Structures are given as structure tokens and as C-alpha cells.
Amino acid sequence: MTESRRDFLKATALTTAGAALGLGFDAAADDKLTAASRLTDAQGQYALPPLPYDYKALEPVIDETTVRLHHDVHHKAYVDGANNALKQLAAARADGNFALVKHWSRELAFHGSGHVLHTLYWTSLTPSPGGEPKGDLSKAIAADFGDLAKLKAHLTKATVAVEASGWGVLAYQALDRRLTVLQAEKHQDLTVWGATPLLVIDVWEHAYYLKYQSKRADYVAAVWDILDWTAAGLRFEAARSAAR
Ligand code: MN
């Protein structure tokens, strides 16, 4: 493991209920990707990572206004919510009053998972897509789905079909060393133990409604043009080496 890879792993280490989703980032030489993948600040507080590109860089697939609101308002709210839940749980430990432990545990799961998933989402997208998956990820897609077209059909249908708000997820299941497609309807409840998300597609309405309105399928179809398979490949490499 190179020094930069070790730094990257450290920068993205996470311990919260949200980690049940398994943020398994490891390698990246790209500083922007590293910064955009960092969930906490120097004090260990959750922090909103910078976008790895300009607000308007994903146009025409995703418009500037949507990205601005989505990142600065929606994602920020998850960060603040997770920090508040940690604070409330610390207060409960300090005074021994756990009357609201269920509430704050749920808040931590909801906001912590939202923070993890949005961080993955921004780094699942890129204004300069490098084409199709490469290397070991490409081989794993062939082994586990048949080919990229079949993965695309499966992940697209699963994402469009998410009931109400949620996410389409391509994940690596370390327990049986297989790629898998998941739907996350209530992201605080998504606990497929051992699965590490490699690439996620947000289908909460705030992710697409300004531009696509009710046409979620059009948004998901368009998002395929800006998926970052390089970042997904790095996450796959990290998840696989952790599973060895
Ligand atoms: Mn969102």
C-alpha cells in the first residue's frame, strides 16, 4: 500500500451507524477525490466535503441549481444532524439518562447514512467520465452480472423502481466476494451486513425534480453518462483487499 493510499484510507475512516453501509474507500492518487471523500474534519466532527468539481460541471445531466441545493442544503443537513445526534448521545452518557436513546440512535443512523451516501454519490459522478469499468472491476462485473449491459439494465431498473425516496447501489459483498445491486428505500434501515457500496445513485426527488420532474427514469438513464468508474474501481480494490 502506498503512502497516499494509506492517507486516503485514514482520511475516510468512519465509525458510526452509517458505517454499517461500509464505506470502504482506499486508494486514490487524486487529491480532489480524497478531499471529496473525507467525512470528518481535523477535530473528528462530521463535515461537508467539498464537491470534486464545480456546481455546474455535471450539466446538462444535472443542473447547477440542483447540485447547489443538493450539496449545500440537503447534504449539509445530514452532516449537521449526525453531529447533533453524536452530541446528544454523548450528553446521555454523561448524565446517565438514556430515555431518548432510541430516538438519537435512529437520528444517527439516518443522518450518518445520509452523509455517507451523499459523499459516495458526489464521488460516483464525474464531469469527465473515463468510459467503461476497467481491470478487476470489469472482470468482476462480467463474472457476477454477465456483462456491463446486464449490470446497467439491472441497476437502472432497481434504481428507478425504488419505492418513494432512496438509492440504487452497486455494492461489493465481502462475505461471499460478489458484486451485488441493492435498493435502499429507507437508508437508515439498509443493513446488508458486509456489503461495501462502490457506486450509488440518489433518487430522492431533490436529486432530480427541478430538471426531470416526475421522469425519474430519464434522470437515471442520463446519470449513466457521468458515472465515475475510476472511483468505483478504487473502492472495489479497497473492499477486495480488505476482504482478503
Ligand atoms: Mn440526496
Side-chain angles (χ1 to χ4, degrees), residues 1 5 25 42 45 63 69 77 88 95 97 104 109 122 134 158 160 164 168 170 180 184 194 197 199 208 241:
M1 196 186 281
R5 286 180 177 194
F25 261 133
Q45 289 279 297
D63 58 287
L69 285 169
Q88 300 297 337
D95 63 16
N97 180 357
W104 291 116
W122 301 123
K134 296 180 183 72
V160 173
L170 172 65
T180 184
L199 187 134
Y208 62 89
S241 42

Side-chain angles (χ1 to χ4, degrees), residues 70 74 78 118 167 202 204 206-207:
H70 196 174
H74 293 279
Y78 284 113
H118 281 91
W167 304 78
D202 191 342
W204 287 56
H206 64 231

Side-chain angles (χ1 to χ4, degrees), residues 14 16 18 21 23 36-41 45-50 71 74-83 107-122 167 187 200:
L14 170 75
T16 177
L21 292 162
L23 187 71
S37 307
R38 194 170 282 128
L39 296 167
T40 53
D41 62 19
Q45 289 279 297
Y46 289 124
L48 185 66
H71 179 267
H74 293 279
H75 187 168
K76 175 74 161 51
Y78 284 113
V79 172
D80 294 343
N83 280 328
E107 283 288 290
L108 181 60
F110 179 71
H111 292 289
S113 298
H115 181 27
V116 170
L117 283 161
H118 281 91
T119 302
L120 285 165
Y121 176 65
W122 301 123
W167 304 78
H187 64 223
V200 304

Side-chain angles (χ1 to χ4, degrees), residues 188-212:
Q188 65 272 39
D189 292 347
L190 176 66
T191 47
V192 179
W193 303 109
T196 300
L198 305 179
L199 187 134
V200 304
I201 302 172
D202 191 342
V203 286
W204 287 56
E205 286 183 348
H206 64 231
Y208 62 89
Y209 217 82
L210 286 180
K211 184 177 168 87
Y212 295 89

Side-chain angles (χ1 to χ4, degrees), residues 55-108:
Y55 290 104
K56 58 175 188 276
L58 301 178
E59 290 191 343
V61 175
I62 307 178
D63 58 287
E64 177 181 356
T65 308
T66 296
V67 173
R68 203 173 274 283
L69 285 169
H70 196 174
H71 179 267
D72 294 4
V73 179
H74 293 279
H75 187 168
K76 175 74 161 51
Y78 284 113
V79 172
D80 294 343
N83 280 328
N84 188 45
L86 287 179
K87 201 172 113 189
Q88 300 297 337
L89 288 164
R93 287 192 299 274
D95 63 16
N97 180 357
F98 290 98
L100 293 177
V101 70
K102 190 160 92 178
H103 171 75
W104 291 116
S105 299
R106 285 175 169 172
E107 283 288 290
L108 181 60

Side-chain angles (χ1 to χ4, degrees), residues 224-239:
W224 273 87
D225 292 338
I226 55 168
L227 290 182
D228 192 343
W229 288 107
T230 304
L234 291 170
R235 284 190 275 268
F236 178 60
E237 186 191 321

